Amino acid sequence: MTELGEFHDRDVLPSPPTPCRPGEAAILGFLDRDGPLTTADLARLRGVTHQSAAKSVKDLSADGLVHSERHPDDGRKFLLRLTGAGRSRLQRERTLRAGALGTAIREAFDPDERRRLSESVALLSRLTAHLTGD
């Protein structure tokens, strides 16, 4: 279900209630998958304003989930990295979401529908890659 977790990180699927505030799991996910990024990079990837991304980054930093360091090529910029706590939090969020999604799938679909849904994950991955330019 890792691929389904990526859909959640990109807000393709609705997020069930979790301890993470809106947008924060997505930021943690981008930093996990893409490595160090600037706040401007995160805003672009999330499709939000710089100010919105900066607020989330500030909150994540205050919680010890990300840390910043000077950009090696441009000292005016800062690169953001996941901390160990951030990586743990992201894994917990993904586990919670996968569990909630799995429960909803079992409750809403019969066995044949679950099989068809499972087969469609590859198609959804391709569609997401196309929409996001990955």
Side-chain angles (χ1 to χ4, degrees), residues 75-88:
R76 298 170 297 169
K77 296 180 182 179
F78 288 90
L79 287 175
L80 301 161
R81 293 183 187 271
L82 274 181
T83 64
R87 198 170 312 285
S88 295

Side-chain angles (χ1 to χ4, degrees), residues 97-111:
R97 280 197 234 135
L101 184 58
T103 297
I105 289 169
R106 283 188 300 280
E107 291 173 352
F109 299 133
D110 65 37

